Amino acid sequence: MKPSIAVLPGDGIGPEVTAAAVAVLQSVRSDIEIREGLVGGAALARGLTPLPDETRALCERSDAILFGSVGLPEYDGRPLPERPEYALFLLRRDFELFANLRPVRVFAGLEAASPLRPEIVRGLDLLVVRELTGGIYYGRPKEQRRVDGVDEAVDTMRYRAPEIERIARVAFDLARSRRKRLTSVDKQNILETSRLWRRVVNEVAREYADVRLDHLLVDNAAMQLVLRPGDFDVIVTENMFGDILSDEAAILTGSIGTLPSASLGVRGMACPFGLYEPIGGTAPSLAGKNAANPTAAILSAAMLLRHSLDDDANATRIERAVERSYADGLRTAELAGPGAQALTTPAFAAAVQARI
Ligand code: IPM
Ligand code: MG
């Protein structure tokens, strides 16, 4: 049977970078069936919900989701269920995409683009493993209310031991396949969820004697990431800490437009169902100009091949072609220095295809 993927371009630069990624994907695998669906602001603008039933059904029929980005400033004042981001919130929860992998790499030739000194980021290669379906994003109660005449709001950070255990295993397994170092990030000096987190991670660690585990408090981790990023291999952390730290880690590379991600579920861990997306967001100011960097989307497509279609060979071909494009000096606008030539989104994708 032909593999099929649901392509959900979404808002802002989503449609442009997703089109670039699909072009690259099709140049290595012509057998994949591609079907598009509406999501986020693109769905809201047509009078639909952020995740229309038809789009959800399309995802259910597919082997994986290639996602663009969602979120537009015009919806900022609305309650969560009426905002584009709600689509991601639902997809992650309903497909149980609990394991979010965010690899952070500095490509050779891009060291100078980092806000840190080149010698600190050269060869940087770390992986943030973020728990994605628990914690303060999903805990109940979650509401705004009026108590004794005063407005208040509550979010609930809640974790159950099995949720921590399964993400810890994903992180330990990945560390084992890399440099065998795992840093678990929590706030155990204050938060009960973090005390449980640390205990469970330590229990799982007994099965991974070959992986060196350490623990950092999240405030310290934020600092160490800019002081000595090269010392990290795999970082595992809960949902909100992972959201924040992965943006911080991403900018170490010089452009958030180069960072892919995979959100993996439980449907048989050998070839899990997953959602693959750039971590950078909609970048409304760049939208419609064909100026966005499609690297993150292209690398997300590579991760899709590797994790959901069990096609490591073609994933690696795409990744090498992206590396060669940077080594050859090709740049999109945000990375091209003043006076240097900037490629458009489709031109960058074409350059990658030419190097496969
Ligand atoms: C991310 C994003 C999302 C998150 C938003 C868009 C809901 O920031 O994937 O990191 O907070 O998880
Ligand atoms: Mg984020």
Side-chain angles (χ1 to χ4, degrees), residues 35-355:
R35 289 173 301 194
E36 271 200 27
L38 287 170
V39 77
L44 287 166
R46 287 172 175 75
L48 301 167
T49 57
L51 182 67
D53 290 342
E54 205 178 309
T55 302
R56 183 192 291 271
L58 168 66
C59 295
E60 278 162 5
R61 294 197 305 273
S62 304
D63 295 303
I65 304 168
L66 185 65
F67 196 90
S69 52
V70 286
L72 291 171
E74 65 232 54
Y75 297 103
D76 276 353
R78 307 256 196 110
L80 180 57
E82 294 165 31
R83 286 210 304 273
E85 292 88 337
Y86 196 53
L88 263 186
F89 183 91
L90 292 177
L91 286 167
R92 290 170 179 176
R93 186 190 71 190
D94 298 347
F95 288 92
E96 228 182 315
L97 304 172
F98 72 95
N100 184 218
L101 278 41
R102 300 188 162 188
V104 177
R105 294 186 51 207
V106 171
F107 292 110
L110 283 191
E111 298 85 356
S114 173
L116 299 187
R117 290 194 301 281
E119 64 271 23
I120 296 182
V121 296
R122 184 162 292 120
L124 184 71
D125 177 8
L126 63 83
L127 173 66
V128 179
V129 177
R130 166 184 174 195
E131 200 291 325
L132 202 59
T133 50
I136 202 166
Y137 275 52
Y138 292 97
R140 299 272 157 191
K142 181 183 193 66
E143 63 190 8
Q144 299 195 30
R145 56 198 182 195
R146 204 166 165 82
V147 176
D148 300 333
V150 177
D151 287 339
E152 66 169 34
V154 57
D155 291 286
T156 304
M157 191 186 263
R158 176 167 186 262
Y159 268 107
R160 298 175 64 244
E163 295 174 281
I164 302 170
E165 188 181 328
R166 67 180 180 179
I167 192 72
R169 280 183 203 287
V170 169
F172 273 108
D173 284 336
L174 287 161
R176 189 169 257 175
S177 73
R178 296 168 44 102
R179 300 193 302 278
K180 300 188 169 47
R181 292 206 48 179
L182 178 63
T183 303
S184 173
V185 174
D186 61 36
K187 187 72 186 172
Q188 74 111 32
N189 50 351
I190 292 292
L191 300 179
E192 292 304 327
T193 42
S194 284
R195 302 177 80 82
L196 179 67
W197 181 277
R198 198 175 279 212
R199 197 186 87 208
V200 172
V201 170
N202 280 330
E203 281 162 16
V204 174
R206 293 198 209 118
E207 295 161 41
Y208 294 85
D210 53 325
V211 176
R212 200 164 106 214
L213 169 70
D214 59 357
H215 300 275
L216 284 182
L217 296 175
V218 62
D219 48 352
N220 187 21
M223 185 167 66
Q224 301 302 327
L225 261 177
V226 291
L227 278 177
R228 47 173 191 97
D231 288 354
F232 291 94
D233 180 11
V234 179
I235 296 173
V236 64
T237 191
E238 68 88 40
N239 202 346
M240 188 169 62
F241 297 162
D243 178 44
I244 298 168
L245 291 180
S246 60
D247 266 26
E248 187 193 2
I251 200 56
L252 301 178
T253 67
S255 170
I256 198 163
T258 64
L259 277 277
S261 76
S263 303
L264 306 179
V266 277
R267 200 203 268 179
M269 260 327 255
C271 254
F273 183 75
L275 181 152
Y276 300 83
E277 57 171 332
I279 83 159
T282 50
S285 66
L286 287 180
K289 298 181 181 156
N290 262 323
N293 187 343
T295 300
I298 293 169
L299 294 176
S300 295
M303 291 185 90
L304 183 156
L305 287 172
R306 173 171 297 120
H307 295 288
S308 286
L309 300 187
D310 197 20
D311 185 358
D312 197 63
N314 280 314
T316 305
R317 286 172 74 200
I318 293 176
E319 288 162 355
R320 294 284 165 278
V322 169
E323 281 165 25
R324 274 196 292 277
S325 303
Y326 282 109
D328 290 346
L330 303 177
R331 303 286 185 266
T332 41
E334 92 286 13
L335 283 168
Q341 199 210 342
L343 296 185
T344 63
T345 309
F348 190 90
V352 171
Q353 285 181 65
R355 286 165 178 76

